[in-house]
Amino acid sequence: MHRILILLLLTTTTSILINVSSGLPFILGNGKAVINWTQPKDDWKIETAPRSIVPHLDTRNKNQTIAKEESEEDNRILERLQQLKRNSSTGRMLWYDMSLSAQDASHFPPFVDKALRLFSLDQVAYEIKNSVMSKVSCQACKAGAGLLKSFIQSGKSDQEIVKTIYNFCVHLQIESPRVCEGVSREFGLEVIFVLKRVNLGPDEICSFVIGDACGDVYNPYHEWEVSFPPVPKPAPVEPPLPKEGAPFFKVLHISDTHYDPHYMEGSNADCNEPLCCRLSSGRPTNPNSAAGKWGDYRKCDSPKRLIDNMLSHISDTHNDIDYIIWTGDLPPHDIWNQTKEINLQIIKDTVKQMSEKFPGVPIFPALGNHESSPVNSFPPPYVQQVDSSISWLYDELDNQWKRWLPASVSQTIRRGAFYSVLVRPGFRIISLNMNYCNNKNWWLLLNSTDPATELQWLIYELQSAEFSNEKVHIIGHIPPGHSDCLKVWSRNFYRIIARYENTITGQFYGHTHYDEFEVFYDPHDLGRAINIGYIGPSVSPYYDLNPGYRIYYVDGDHDLSTRMVVDHESWIMNLKEANLYDYPIWYKLYTTRPAYNMKGLRPLDWDNFINDITNNQELFDLYYKNYWKNSPVRPPCDAECKKRIICDSKSGRSHDRKHFCQDVESKIDERESKSWKAWFYRGFTAS
């Protein structure tokens, strides 16, 4: 998938498009107008949408405390794990050398040869894979903008441009020919359609797609702000520590299952495509390259037996779950080989599977970025052409999700795949479609101004909740502070969280595949933590990861309920040992408060935890192990890695590291400087 994104950077970003707001044609260098396009009007009225006002969850209202001691079963499992013989870790696949010989380079025009010398494709691949962009990726983006500009100015047809994308993909060895053919077909025409209809230069486009690594370029077509009602913000209330013995909800969080129906045990797990472990991946070159029975640490998604085993384990071990949050990404990573029909079938199959495993348990789903075909393609409601509209997906989601959700949410699901449900009296869950903040959603280049009016609708729901004295949990897929989230969307969302800090008591996301969190701060006082976003681990091992899930304990029904997360547990399966002994064991990796010695899980407590892992290397190492779900093939973490991970936890607002990370980075740099000085001094003294 990551090399496919490189291809799009190289060949699908451009500067020659149309002014969206005016509808005036943009004139190319040869005097030809590209297109005259005006965004259709959207007359949807937020206040006319039905609201969920009847409590949806019938709970047993338990009055039990969270056990502090490990059970005998936990101890037995841990003892068995410690006794298992450990073999050598599975090596992770490295990027192939994509350097070009002089003969290869001669196939391309001089502009491309010059562009290729400006940046390393290997470096771009690494940065896109890790969502950590630098000026290298920025240069790649701008080179692609200039290249596509020359194609359009030369009068090439859409089909000719798609064919050129395919040729570049093959000749640059970005992917195998069949992957190049698939991605050219799946993405080419859509990207060309969008880029012909915007009036942005390479600087604006690449700042939009790449983020702050391409500079904070002012872009009048993508600068907007949400409106708040003229209601004064209530004085902030510091939430109390959890009350021992208070009733709680036990909540399961599943994310990023990435079910691969074509996974095949023994197939090649070390292939040269974005997704391996399939019959089409070929034969393994040696026994170590063969895909494991229960999954693989390399570029492979979840086999059916892995998901079946996990759901059976959860059903047996956690039979007292009150409700489930399911934060998206159901299809696998074979994005060059997907169709609408295939993705819909995976959605239907996994929904059926969840319903059968958890009968009678309410499930609150959120939409991932992989559910669409092509991936990341989520046109706003005003795009209504039959071949471009997203209604094929949203209508089916409404059909599938209605078994768990009230009828009142149907209108907003079919409009934008978001909804609001009153779970219990005084407690509401709002599910957002985070693909409208996805900077890889090319449709947002047409107009990123609050797509589907989702954020304005969110404000309406939160203001209604504030009036009704309700507490709210927000669920979604892409974390708002992640670099995949548009900075203008994230900035507006951050303001919403700050305005309704007394109402929003928890946020829950997925997407990263890691076990992590994001803290939100008062925009006017970045020293005051006001909210927390929990980022659940992936079920898929893609890649270098153990499969995992989360259990939250949420303050339940009582007069002084905060509806905050009281504690949470992360459960994993050791994939290496499951494949070695053909005996998968799911076990609790850690419980947050005792593991990290936290008094509570309030925003203040998480902010203190960030300071602790910044200053305490041993505690950071523990967090890093849990972050990787105790993967035996996790890479070592140097100072730059540590700065990135801790900075991510401080950044609930994307592409704004300078406001959140300077203090953390300076502390880590100071510690590194001292450690090097001490090392040098000890060595000099010994000499």
Side-chain angles (χ1 to χ4, degrees):
M1 176 179 68
H2 309 298
R3 291 187 185 179
I4 291 172
L5 294 176
I6 297 169
L7 172 64
L8 293 177
L9 281 173
L10 287 171
T11 56
T12 59
T13 46
T14 185
S15 62
I16 39 172
L17 306 163
I18 179 181
N19 185 319
V20 172
S21 59
S22 67
L24 298 176
F26 183 78
I27 307 300
L28 296 175
N30 58 10
K32 295 181 180 179
V34 177
I35 199 165
N36 192 337
W37 181 82
T38 302
Q39 177 180 313
K41 292 184 178 180
D42 184 358
D43 297 326
W44 185 61
K45 297 281 192 286
I46 294 172
E47 61 274 12
T48 62
R51 295 195 73 238
S52 169
I53 57 175
V54 178
H56 189 60
L57 176 63
D58 182 15
T59 178
R60 294 176 293 278
N61 198 15
K62 303 181 297 294
N63 283 279
Q64 62 190 68
T65 57
I66 302 171
K68 296 182 179 180
E69 300 296 330
E70 300 289 342
S71 67
E72 292 183 6
E73 178 67 12
D74 291 338
N75 289 330
R76 185 189 67 79
I77 292 175
L78 291 174
E79 182 178 356
R80 170 172 169 76
L81 289 171
Q82 291 167 357
Q83 292 174 350
L84 289 175
K85 178 181 177 181
R86 301 187 178 277
N87 64 346
S88 59
S89 62
T90 305
R92 66 186 287 179
M93 182 175 180
L94 301 177
W95 290 104
Y96 283 82
D97 180 12
M98 293 185 289
S99 59
L100 294 173
S101 65
Q103 183 178 1
D104 292 329
S106 65
H107 291 292
F108 308 113
F111 171 82
V112 179
D113 183 42
K114 180 180 178 181
L116 291 173
R117 292 197 299 269
L118 290 176
F119 50 83
S120 163
L121 290 181
D122 291 332
Q123 178 67 15
V124 177
Y126 172 82
E127 292 179 1
I128 293 176
K129 177 178 76 71
N130 292 281
S131 294
V132 180
M133 303 299 184
S134 75
K135 292 189 180 299
V136 177
S137 295
C138 183
Q139 289 287 357
C141 177
K142 291 180 180 179
L147 187 60
L148 189 52
K149 177 178 180 180
S150 68
F151 292 160
I152 297 178
Q153 285 182 333
S154 66
K156 285 181 178 290
S157 68
D158 291 356
Q159 293 300 330
E160 287 174 322
I161 295 176
V162 169
K163 185 176 180 180
T164 303
I165 292 174
Y166 167 79
N167 290 333
F168 270 85
C169 179
V170 172
H171 291 154
L172 288 173
Q173 300 176 28
I174 293 176
E175 282 297 344
S176 67
R178 74 188 192 103
V179 174
C180 291
E181 191 278 331
V183 71
S184 302
R185 180 189 67 249
E186 286 292 309
F187 296 89
L189 292 177
E190 177 179 298
V191 172
I192 294 168
F193 176 90
V194 171
L195 293 179
K196 281 184 175 180
R197 289 161 173 79
V198 296
N199 182 21
L200 301 173
D203 290 343
E204 291 87 357
I205 287 180
C206 294
S207 178
F208 183 92
V209 173
I210 301 296
D212 51 3
C214 259
D216 190 12
V217 179
Y218 175 70
N219 187 339
Y221 301 107
H222 297 282
E223 289 294 332
W224 50 273
E225 291 187 351
V226 292
S227 300
F228 292 94
V231 180
K233 176 182 175 179
V237 177
E238 186 66 31
L241 285 168
K243 184 178 180 181
E244 296 295 334
F248 61 82
F249 294 149
K250 187 175 182 179
V251 181
L252 169 65
H253 184 183
I254 295 178
S255 193
D256 297 88
T257 47
H258 290 291
Y259 160 55
D260 185 1
H262 301 293
Y263 185 98
M264 177 173 288
E265 177 187 358
S267 61
N268 185 14
D270 223 353
C271 71
N272 64 343
E273 294 184 339
L275 185 65
C276 305
C277 297
R278 313 174 121 202
L279 179 63
S280 58
S281 303
R283 293 177 177 270
T285 56
N286 58 72
N288 290 332
S289 297
K293 178 177 180 178
W294 296 96
D296 203 279
Y297 286 119
R298 287 159 289 194
K299 294 186 298 182
C300 306
D301 275 320
S302 305
K304 187 176 187 298
R305 62 166 55 95
L306 169 63
I307 300 177
D308 285 341
N309 184 269
M310 180 193 71
L311 296 181
S312 295
H313 150 77
I314 293 173
S315 180
D316 294 338
T317 308
H318 308 288
N319 55 13
D320 54 348
I321 291 172
D322 289 295
Y323 63 87
I324 300 170
I325 53 178
W326 190 19
T327 51
D329 266 13
L330 312 184
H333 286 85
D334 62 334
I335 60 175
W336 74 94
N337 193 39
Q338 293 178 344
T339 64
K340 296 180 174 71
E341 292 73 23
I342 289 174
N343 282 13
L344 287 178
Q345 190 59 51
I346 288 178
I347 291 171
K348 294 175 184 177
D349 290 344
T350 50
V351 166
K352 181 174 182 289
Q353 188 180 35
M354 292 288 286
S355 297
E356 292 174 348
K357 288 293 184 180
F358 304 104
V361 179
I363 299 178
F364 300 100
L367 180 63
N369 63 300
H370 274 264
E371 274 74 7
S372 185
S373 177
V375 66
N376 300 317
S377 174
F378 294 88
Y382 60 76
V383 178
Q384 297 177 356
Q385 295 92 330
V386 174
D387 56 342
S388 300
S389 170
I390 195 67
S391 60
W392 66 271
L393 176 60
Y394 293 173
D395 289 352
E396 186 58 40
L397 289 180
D398 183 44
N399 290 333
Q400 295 297 319
W401 291 356
K402 66 175 51 176
R403 69 191 68 195
W404 301 312
L405 304 175
S408 59
V409 306
S410 180
Q411 184 182 121
T412 55
I413 290 176
R414 288 179 177 261
R415 172 178 171 80
F418 50 84
Y419 62 85
S420 172
V421 173
L422 184 67
V423 180
R424 294 289 294 151
F427 177 45
R428 181 175 295 272
I429 287 179
I430 296 178
S431 178
L432 296 180
N433 182 355
M434 301 300 289
N435 294 294
Y436 291 134
C437 90
N438 187 354
N439 56 13
K440 296 178 180 62
N441 181 5
W442 297 96
W443 292 99
L444 299 186
L445 280 169
L446 290 173
N447 187 353
S448 67
T449 306
D450 194 9
T453 330
E454 181 181 33
L455 289 186
Q456 210 63 57
W457 167 86
L458 173 63
I459 291 174
Y460 178 81
E461 285 292 323
L462 291 172
Q463 188 60 63
S464 299
E466 182 179 276
F467 286 150
S468 302
N469 198 29
E470 296 171 355
K471 300 299 183 185
V472 171
H473 283 181
I474 292 176
I475 67 173
H477 182 65
I478 300 175
H482 193 272
S483 59
D484 286 347
C485 189
L486 284 174
K487 56 188 174 183
V488 62
W489 195 100
S490 181
R491 185 178 67 232
N492 278 285
F493 184 78
Y494 208 81
R495 293 176 60 216
I496 294 172
I497 297 298
R499 166 59 185 84
Y500 296 99
E501 64 173 285
N502 288 346
T503 299
I504 303 167
T505 59
Q507 304 174 58
F508 306 86
Y509 305 100
H511 186 62
T512 72
H513 290 206
Y514 298 107
D515 188 297
E516 52 181 327
F517 66 96
E518 286 179 353
V519 176
F520 292 69
Y521 297 87
D522 183 345
H524 304 292
D525 178 9
L526 294 181
R528 188 174 74 88
I530 62 172
N531 218 279
I532 178 70
Y534 295 95
I535 303 174
S538 65
V539 174
S540 172
Y542 192 100
Y543 61 94
D544 284 355
L545 294 166
N546 283 318
Y549 66 89
R550 280 247 187 101
I551 294 289
Y552 299 100
Y553 296 95
V554 176
D555 199 7
D557 286 335
H558 60 93
D559 292 340
L560 300 178
S561 177
T562 63
R563 304 294 182 181
M564 297 189 70
V565 174
V566 176
D567 209 347
H568 77 68
E569 305 165 350
S570 285
W571 290 67
I572 67 166
M573 183 188 82
N574 189 309
L575 185 58
K576 176 181 174 181
E577 292 170 348
N579 286 332
L580 182 63
Y581 300 103
D582 191 18
Y583 189 72
I585 298 176
W586 294 86
Y587 69 98
K588 182 164 54 180
L589 178 62
Y590 72 98
T591 303
T592 307
R593 284 170 60 189
Y596 299 143
N597 194 26
M598 299 174 69
K599 295 180 180 179
L601 299 188
R602 302 167 300 174
L604 172 64
D605 300 313
W606 283 108
D607 183 49
N608 291 334
F609 177 70
I610 290 175
N611 292 329
D612 291 341
I613 60 176
T614 302
N615 299 317
N616 185 331
Q617 185 62 40
E618 183 178 354
L619 185 61
F620 175 80
D621 291 341
L622 174 62
Y623 175 70
Y624 184 69
K625 181 190 77 170
N626 295 334
Y627 175 93
W628 277 88
K629 293 180 279 183
N630 199 24
S631 169
V633 294
R634 65 183 182 272
C637 189
D638 59 13
E640 289 304 312
C641 160
K642 182 177 180 179
K643 285 192 285 189
R644 176 178 61 83
I645 288 178
I646 297 178
C647 182
D648 287 345
S649 67
K650 287 202 71 170
S651 304
R653 190 168 65 202
S654 68
H655 304 287
D656 206 358
R657 303 179 83 88
K658 63 183 179 181
H659 282 98
F660 298 105
C661 303
Q662 288 181 341
D663 182 54
V664 166
E665 292 177 344
S666 63
K667 286 181 179 179
I668 295 175
D669 287 339
E670 183 180 358
R671 286 176 55 86
E672 285 296 307
S673 174
K674 287 181 179 179
S675 64
W676 276 104
K677 288 177 181 178
W679 174 84
F680 180 80
Y681 178 76
R682 287 194 300 270
F684 181 78
T685 304
S687 300

